[in-house]
Amino acid sequence: MFSKACEYGIRASIFIAEQSLLDRKVSLKDVAEAIDSPAAYTSKILQKLSRNNIINSDKGPTGGFSMGKKELEKVKLSSIVFAIDGESIYNGCGLGLKKCNEKMPCPVHNQFKMIRDELKKMLETTTVLSLAVDYEKGFSFLKR
Amino acid sequence: MFSKACEYGIRASIFIAEQSLLDRKVSLKDVAEAIDSPAAYTSKILQKLSRNNIINSDKGPTGGFSMGKKELEKVKLSSIVFAIDGESIYNGCGLGLKKCNEKMPCPVHNQFKMIRDELKKMLETTTVLSLAVDYEKGFSFLKR
DNA sequence: TAAATAGTGGACAATTTTATCCAATATAAA
DNA sequence: TTTATATTGGATAAAATTGTCCACTATTTA
């Protein structure tokens, strides 16, 4: 469904969000351990999220990654997916045709449209904050 | 959503099905041209479909690929996806966790389950035959 | 101002996926 | 039985994705 990079990105964001709720900045190492991902690769992904204003990053001692109140309130899963995987999830044809629309649809255009629209709605309405709160309560897990 | 191989596989199956409705066998070249895919790569995919009894393949002159009446009636998209991409679409965790279930869910487990179940239902109820019939009527396209 | 810390950026490596090439096999028709 | 045709299987190659390494920059604290 998503690229590995995107999966790491979502998991990392949830962890950073949760720690930010507790007023804690986290280091790259913290993140990689919390979500069980390769640190250096995760670093690249966090850079992307940072450039897209989804998370903050601060250098130097006492530095690390965090999310501000504003970000916590407004960041949806869709922002993360878009920042990392682009809009192919929404636009791309299910059968890989370059052009595929109502006028000239691939054979499964309508069937896929249904699913895709559901997915889109889900991503656009699910906040990282809500996922972080559940995670904080121990209702969900970021590794294993 | 699916691998490129799987996209080619679905498109190829629809084309072969449609031609079989007209009692025509098609060659690898025919398929590759009809769905605009690399021939040699498509060959590997057709082999996989053939071994999974989704299509027939006959060697020699007058050989080619085809689908029998039985196959035409029973082959669903799910069979093709399973033959090529395996069951990761159904089982795999949306966030890439090795273990993810009701007891120990990833943060988006339930949200993804909804979408995935819809997708599964769609794949399991959509026959290649129905897609081939639409394609035959000019309602849908396999390239561009 | 020096030292220690933490993210950044760029080059590089491994793996997986996608794609190509060609000799071998099977088969139909002449 | 020879020839032509079409798929098969194996080896390779190219491209994309995933993952690693290391020197550099920024920043805090002593």
Side-chain angles (χ1 to χ4, degrees), chain A:
Chain A
M1 186 98 71
F2 301 131
S3 68
K4 216 123 192 50
C6 192
E7 293 174 354
Y8 291 148
I10 294 174
R11 280 152 64 192
S13 298
I14 294 171
F15 176 67
I16 294 168
E18 186 248 0
Q19 292 292 297
S20 287
L21 288 176
L22 307 174
D23 271 313
R24 293 184 199 144
K25 275 185 190 171
V26 292
S27 71
L28 172 60
K29 189 156 163 281
D30 293 335
V31 174
E33 277 168 8
I35 73 174
D36 188 28
S37 67
Y41 190 52
T42 304
S43 162
K44 305 298 182 190
I45 297 162
L46 295 183
Q47 280 177 41
K48 215 172 239 180
L49 294 178
S50 169
R51 284 194 213 100
N52 279 270
N53 302 309
I54 289 169
I55 61 176
N56 308 115
S57 79
D58 300 295
K59 285 185 172 181
T62 78
F65 300 93
S66 61
M67 288 180 77
K69 294 289 169 203
K70 268 178 222 159
E71 289 145 348
L72 277 175
E73 277 163 24
K74 73 157 185 279
V75 174
K76 311 283 192 302
L77 283 185
S78 53
S79 320
I80 300 171
V81 173
F82 181 78
I84 300 176
D85 280 352
E87 57 186 354
S88 65
I89 287 239
Y90 298 150
N91 299 353
C93 166
L95 296 188
L97 303 195
K98 289 172 213 94
K99 270 265 183 174
C100 173
N101 50 48
E102 293 296 325
K103 283 271 181 189
M104 288 190 63
C106 79
V108 293
H109 184 78
N110 292 308
Q111 291 92 326
F112 269 77
K113 186 166 166 36
M114 263 185 37
I115 308 285
R116 206 183 293 263
D117 286 351
E118 294 265 352
L119 177 61
K120 183 175 180 178
K121 197 197 313 175
M122 187 274 273
L123 294 176
E124 284 176 348
T125 57
T126 305
T127 64
V128 170
L129 176 59
S130 69
L131 300 177
V133 168
D134 279 0
Y135 172 66
E136 162 65 22
K137 288 180 185 159
F139 294 167
S140 62
F141 302 84
L142 289 173
K143 58 177 166 182
R144 290 223 73 214

Side-chain angles (χ1 to χ4, degrees), chain B residues 28-70:
Chain B
L28 173 60
K29 187 155 164 281
D30 293 335
V31 175
E33 276 168 9
I35 72 173
D36 188 29
S37 65
Y41 190 53
T42 305
S43 162
K44 305 299 182 189
I45 296 162
L46 295 183
Q47 281 177 43
K48 215 172 239 181
L49 294 177
S50 170
R51 286 195 211 99
N52 279 269
N53 303 309
I54 289 168
I55 62 176
N56 308 114
S57 80
D58 300 294
K59 285 185 173 182
T62 78
F65 300 94
S66 61
M67 287 179 77
K69 294 289 170 205
K70 269 176 220 158

Side-chain angles (χ1 to χ4, degrees), chain B:
Chain B
M1 184 98 73
F2 302 131
S3 69
K4 216 123 191 49
C6 192
E7 292 174 355
Y8 291 148
I10 293 173
R11 280 152 63 192
S13 298
I14 294 170
F15 176 67
I16 293 168
E18 185 249 359
Q19 291 292 297
S20 288
L21 288 176
L22 308 174
D23 270 313
R24 292 183 200 145
K25 276 184 190 172
V26 292
S27 71
L28 173 60
K29 187 155 164 281
D30 293 335
V31 175
E33 276 168 9
I35 72 173
D36 188 29
S37 65
Y41 190 53
T42 305
S43 162
K44 305 299 182 189
I45 296 162
L46 295 183
Q47 281 177 43
K48 215 172 239 181
L49 294 177
S50 170
R51 286 195 211 99
N52 279 269
N53 303 309
I54 289 168
I55 62 176
N56 308 114
S57 80
D58 300 294
K59 285 185 173 182
T62 78
F65 300 94
S66 61
M67 287 179 77
K69 294 289 170 205
K70 269 176 220 158
E71 288 144 349
L72 277 174
E73 278 162 22
K74 73 158 186 279
V75 174
K76 311 283 191 304
L77 283 185
S78 53
S79 320
I80 300 172
V81 173
F82 181 79
I84 299 176
D85 280 352
E87 57 186 355
S88 65
I89 288 237
Y90 297 150
N91 300 353
C93 167
L95 295 188
L97 302 195
K98 289 172 213 94
K99 270 265 184 173
C100 174
N101 50 47
E102 294 295 326
K103 283 271 182 189
M104 288 189 63
C106 79
V108 292
H109 183 78
N110 293 308
Q111 290 93 324
F112 269 77
K113 186 166 167 35
M114 264 184 38
I115 309 284
R116 206 182 292 263
D117 286 351
E118 293 266 351
L119 176 60
K120 183 175 181 178
K121 197 197 313 176
M122 185 274 272
L123 294 176
E124 285 176 348
T125 57
T126 305
T127 64
V128 170
L129 177 59
S130 69
L131 301 176
V133 168
D134 279 0
Y135 172 65
E136 162 66 20
K137 289 181 186 157
F139 294 167
S140 62
F141 302 83
L142 289 173
K143 58 178 167 181
R144 292 224 78 213

